[in-house]
Amino acid sequence: MGPAPGSDGVPGPRDAPDGPLMPAERLRSHQWYGAGGLRAFSHRARTRQLGYLPEEHLGKPVIAVLNTWSDINPCHVHLRDRAQAVKRGIWQAGGFPLEFPVATLSETFQKPTPMLYRNLLAMETEELLRSYPVDGAVLLGGCDKSTPALLMGAASVDLPAVFVPAGPMLPGHWRNEVLGSGTDMWKYWDDRRAGLIGDRELAELETGLARSPGTCMTMGTASTLTAAAEALGVTVPGASSIPAVDSGHERMAAAAGRLGVGLVHRGLRLSGVLTRPAYEDAVAAVLALGGSTNAVIHLIALAGRSGVRLTLDDFDRIARTVPVLADLRPGGRYLMEDFHFAGGLPAFLTRIADRLHLDRPTVAHRTLREQLSGALVHNPEVIRPREWPLAAEGGVAVLRGNLCPDGAVIKHIAAEPRLLRHTGPAVVFPDYRTLQRTIDDPSLGITRDHVLVLQNAGPIGGPGMPEYGMLPLPAHLLEQGVRDMVRISDARMSGTSYGACVLHIAPESYVGGPLALVRDGDLVTLDVPARTLRLEVSDAELARRRAAWTPPPERYERGYGALYAEHVTQADTGCDFGFLARRGRVPDPYAG
């Protein structure tokens, strides 16, 4: 058994089933092609119209290749080529590939935020797989919301499926510095606002920050979620860290195609892989990686599609059992290419193997234990040993208190330690546009000890919970060298961001959560060690303010936005649509 593509010494996936091939009449696609009657005749005739011979597809597993490629998504711009490699692998394994274009969710360009459309792509994925003659799927994605969306839809329809991560881009470069996309964008933008660099330097940075196709090469949201997918066991081993332009990435894609056919013959559906132990292991991996806070929302939503109740308390409980061992930006020093050549996720998981459920299955192996056998760490500076952690506990903390009765999160390893226990007066911004327009106004009198508060940026108020949570600091404080302050909001934050930013406050202010009641000058107390966030205002005063609060007008009067606002849940339950998250039977279509 050879090594997995792009890894060193890690057992590769089983491309073929252990037993006999799935009989043709038991394939789901047989309902379309193999039955007698007019409809089957029509399906076969239309497949001839596509140019395929009977022997190319009849009796073979039909594998849908769902491709999120588009011209406007730099993270996925290479996936048109990778789909060809996937199809090559499917043909090699005796399957029949059909490529389907699905919505592309470009974190870079789509407004107000691709989070608004995550559930739309999940719906498209589910209904496409359910309504067409397919036996299994290979899902191509990676940019932040595409990974959970594809897996949510596939989990709901519950066919055999493999996920192909888009892979991180090459490291950025500027003059003699190695750059991390996102993380260094925020850093140098602040330097520009502080007057430390000018337009010439900024123009140079524009050409050096993102040098190739692929997702952010820091441990941002994209790499966090593809690592979570690998930890869940739905990828080729080692897949999540292979650089997008590495030849190993194409080999991995072909291996995923072969694996997809094998899964159909083995009869292994996603429900056999996406179990509660798998989700707990994914949470442990994300926390030990120092991964993005966005993973909290997405894993809760994905688990719900699998019938697994995952909560904020699970994240906080597991965070206390694993250290942060990946020295990766934004909380550390290195980038994803360094992590890949240090051994990638298989090697990383061996560092926390005692916290994992090693006897559960993955799409590639009988057990996770078998999948990790032989994985080695090649650089302990990047993947640290347990006795030399970057932080003693997982990188995300869950907060409770009268400001966030249903919870909030903070990536505390990316904050200045002095701010992890802090009380300061609030400066409140009712929306992000107001914040942008007034943050530098000296009349606000903002000092480094104030707490910046952003309202109406949650799931409904945002709308779509945009990544506004790393609130900009006032220019006059940047000029003084201040680079972090306590900032709280019901928004999300890019996984490439950093700072003492409290996020995902639930319930959100737009629906009347306590965040809507904060006023300028109110004292706010953050205590990360105690896991609390409090507004130092009496219950009586809060009750008076609540009685005077009036709901804001609806953002959307029609269209998808209205559907979203009517059905989206709050951050603590994953921001899924209630009618998609609930359990219930959905019949396969009648194909005859």
Side-chain angles (χ1 to χ4, degrees):
M1 187 180 296
S7 64
D8 296 313
V10 180
R14 294 180 294 159
D15 298 329
D18 296 328
L21 299 183
M22 178 79 73
E25 60 273 13
R26 289 184 55 196
L27 293 172
R28 183 175 180 272
S29 57
H30 181 77
Q31 301 172 52
W32 276 260
Y33 288 121
L38 173 63
R39 291 296 181 187
F41 166 72
S42 172
H43 298 148
R44 293 192 298 269
R46 291 300 188 176
T47 306
R48 303 299 158 265
Q49 181 186 7
L50 292 168
Y52 294 109
L53 296 166
E55 55 267 31
E56 290 185 271
H57 73 98
L58 288 179
K60 296 181 178 182
V62 179
I63 307 299
V65 181
L66 270 59
N67 194 351
T68 53
W69 169 88
S70 82
D71 277 332
I72 194 64
N73 193 336
C75 302
H76 294 181
V77 72
H78 58 305
L79 291 186
R80 182 160 55 177
D81 294 333
R82 292 300 176 270
Q84 298 308 309
V86 171
K87 289 192 279 187
R88 184 179 82 221
I90 293 169
W91 286 117
Q92 290 169 352
F96 177 61
L98 291 173
E99 184 176 356
F100 293 82
V102 292
T104 189
L105 305 183
S106 174
E107 196 67 39
T108 309
F109 290 104
Q110 193 168 28
K111 306 299 179 187
T113 167
M115 183 62 179
L116 185 67
Y117 303 104
R118 183 201 67 181
N119 296 344
L120 185 62
L121 175 54
M123 292 171 68
E124 181 182 19
T125 299
E126 177 180 353
E127 297 307 324
L128 185 152
L129 293 178
R130 195 185 309 281
S131 60
Y132 280 99
V134 299
D135 302 295
V138 179
L139 315 168
L140 280 69
C143 193
D144 297 9
K145 312 306 174 291
S146 62
T147 299
L150 291 167
L151 289 172
M152 287 164 66
S156 293
V157 76
D158 194 24
L159 292 177
V162 185
F163 181 73
V164 173
M169 69 177 87
L170 292 175
H173 280 277
W174 177 59
R175 297 185 178 178
N176 198 36
E177 293 187 37
V178 176
L179 303 178
S181 59
T183 301
D184 282 304
M185 178 185 72
W186 314 121
K187 174 183 179 297
Y188 284 109
W189 186 253
D190 280 350
D191 283 353
R192 174 70 176 84
R193 293 180 62 223
L196 301 178
I197 62 173
D199 291 341
R200 176 177 177 177
E201 289 82 1
L202 214 61
E204 292 175 4
L205 283 161
E206 285 182 10
T207 65
L209 200 60
R211 298 173 47 239
S212 78
T215 57
C216 292
M217 76 299 262
T218 58
M219 186 47 71
T221 302
S223 288
T224 298
L225 289 168
T226 55
E230 184 175 340
L232 285 167
V234 296
T235 74
V236 170
S240 63
S241 62
I242 305 173
V245 295
D246 192 301
S247 62
H249 196 268
E250 183 164 348
R251 297 193 297 272
M252 176 271 294
R258 295 194 299 272
L259 182 56
V261 177
L263 289 173
V264 173
H265 286 307
R266 288 162 57 194
L268 182 58
R269 297 172 178 264
L270 273 180
S271 57
V273 177
L274 296 179
T275 60
R276 179 164 191 88
Y279 283 107
E280 290 186 350
D281 289 353
V283 171
V286 163
L287 294 169
L289 286 165
S292 168
T293 49
N294 284 294
V296 179
I297 290 176
H298 296 311
L299 282 175
I300 287 174
L302 178 55
R305 297 297 189 95
S306 300
V308 174
R309 185 173 182 270
L310 193 66
T311 69
L312 291 177
D313 290 337
D314 290 316
F315 279 84
D316 200 54
R317 170 179 56 82
I318 295 172
R320 298 173 188 271
T321 69
V322 292
V324 178
L325 299 177
D327 195 349
L328 299 172
R329 301 186 199 183
R333 297 173 292 171
Y334 296 99
L335 297 173
M336 286 303 299
E337 190 171 22
D338 304 307
F339 181 73
H340 178 64
F341 291 113
L345 196 74
F348 180 82
L349 292 180
T350 66
R351 295 292 209 209
I352 58 169
D354 60 319
R355 296 292 187 263
L356 304 178
H357 301 84
L358 296 174
D359 294 320
R360 62 179 175 89
T362 70
V363 296
H365 289 92
R366 295 177 184 86
T367 65
L368 179 62
R369 186 189 309 277
E370 179 183 311
Q371 183 159 310
L372 300 184
S373 175
L376 299 172
V377 174
H378 304 301
N379 188 341
E381 295 277 340
V382 179
I383 301 176
R384 295 192 179 191
R386 289 281 279 273
E387 58 270 19
W388 186 38
L390 200 70
E393 291 186 353
V396 175
V398 175
L399 308 174
R400 304 279 184 179
N402 67 349
L403 253 181
C404 51
D406 292 337
V409 300
I410 182 172
K411 188 174 182 178
H412 54 95
I413 64 165
E416 289 188 9
R418 68 179 178 87
L419 296 172
L420 298 182
R421 277 197 175 102
H422 180 82
T423 298
V427 180
V428 182
F429 301 91
D431 56 65
Y432 194 68
R433 292 186 185 185
T434 302
L435 168 69
Q436 289 179 304
R437 188 176 66 252
T438 62
I439 187 64
D440 294 329
D441 185 347
S443 69
L444 296 178
I446 300 175
T447 71
R448 61 186 292 165
D449 295 322
H450 276 87
V451 175
L452 304 181
V453 177
L454 174 64
Q455 298 170 329
N456 299 314
I460 302 175
M465 210 178 176
E467 292 184 338
Y468 294 160
M470 185 182 171
L471 312 186
L473 305 188
H476 72 275
L477 292 181
L478 292 172
E479 291 168 358
Q480 296 170 25
V482 176
R483 287 297 183 270
D484 200 4
M485 294 174 64
V486 174
R487 290 158 273 181
I488 69 173
S489 72
D490 44 17
R492 295 177 301 110
M493 177 174 87
S494 167
T496 65
S497 301
Y498 50 86
C501 303
V502 178
L503 312 158
H504 308 182
I505 287 180
E508 64 175 304
S509 54
Y510 200 80
V511 299
L515 188 66
L517 310 180
V518 184
R519 302 289 182 265
D520 287 336
D522 289 348
L523 290 180
V524 176
T525 297
L526 169 66
D527 190 335
V528 174
R531 300 295 198 265
T532 58
L533 178 70
R534 283 195 52 79
L535 182 63
E536 304 297 348
V537 173
S538 70
D539 292 344
E541 173 61 16
L542 289 178
R544 187 190 66 77
R545 294 181 187 179
R546 183 174 301 282
W549 180 82
T550 56
E554 294 181 356
R555 296 283 194 200
Y556 295 92
E557 294 183 353
R558 60 162 303 279
Y560 175 75
L563 174 75
Y564 176 93
E566 289 170 12
H567 295 285
V568 72
T569 65
Q570 289 291 297
D572 60 305
T573 52
C575 297
D576 201 357
F577 289 163
F579 65 88
L580 294 174
R582 66 176 179 245
R583 309 305 296 159
R585 185 179 68 88
V586 179
D588 247 5
Y590 176 60

